[in-house]
Amino acid sequence: QVQLVESGGGLVQPGGSLGVSCTASGSQFRRRAMAWYRQAPGKERELVARILGSGNTKYADSVKGRWTISRDNAKNTVYLQMNSLQVEDTAVYYCAAWPATAILSTVLTTPPDYWGQGIQVTVAS
């Protein structure tokens, strides 16, 4: 079982920046695909950014060019740096992880097995 603990988040003005982080328990973090999802009120949860163990990244079109996902394998931590935040980015943000043994096709086609508790990000003036 993998536990994911998110930190950061909060309230920021439009155009501002914010970072969130997620620390994972367990071993083999460097092999594990990690992701950030978000869920806004009344909307479905959506993938925001994903990073593979190789470091390969994928972003939702809505955040591409504004946000950066990264990882520090020595700290078992994945980060999401959010720049140029917009009101529409307001949501609960969830850290998620796949099993370390998951192959690429699994990561690309199935939802993560492990989820954090979620952290609120509010963009408002």
Side-chain angles (χ1 to χ4, degrees):
Q1 187 71 14
V2 175
Q3 290 187 330
L4 304 173
V5 179
E6 299 120 334
S7 60
L11 174 65
V12 63
Q13 292 186 341
S17 298
L18 197 64
V20 291
S21 61
C22 168
T23 300
S25 67
S27 60
Q28 303 188 71
F29 176 81
R30 63 180 61 250
R31 296 180 56 192
R32 199 180 298 280
M34 303 291 296
W36 288 95
Y37 285 72
R38 68 183 179 186
Q39 187 167 20
K43 294 188 177 181
E44 293 188 355
R45 191 174 297 188
E46 62 173 348
L47 175 66
V48 172
R50 182 183 64 218
I51 184 167
L52 304 181
S54 64
N56 183 276
T57 57
K58 173 186 170 61
Y59 296 93
D61 288 343
S62 59
V63 308
K64 201 173 296 183
R66 298 190 295 131
W67 296 7
T68 302
I69 187 171
S70 61
R71 64 192 298 157
D72 185 338
N73 291 333
K75 296 182 178 180
N76 278 23
T77 299
V78 62
Y79 305 94
L80 184 66
Q81 178 62 37
M82 302 177 284
N83 299 325
S84 302
L85 281 157
Q86 303 167 357
V87 172
E88 306 82 71
D89 296 318
T90 296
V92 177
Y93 285 74
Y94 296 91
C95 178
W98 283 263
T101 55
I103 60 177
L104 181 60
S105 60
T106 299
V107 174
L108 297 182
T109 59
T110 65
D113 282 18
Y114 308 107
W115 295 87
Q117 78 281 3
I119 193 166
Q120 179 70 44
V121 172
T122 301
V123 185
S125 53

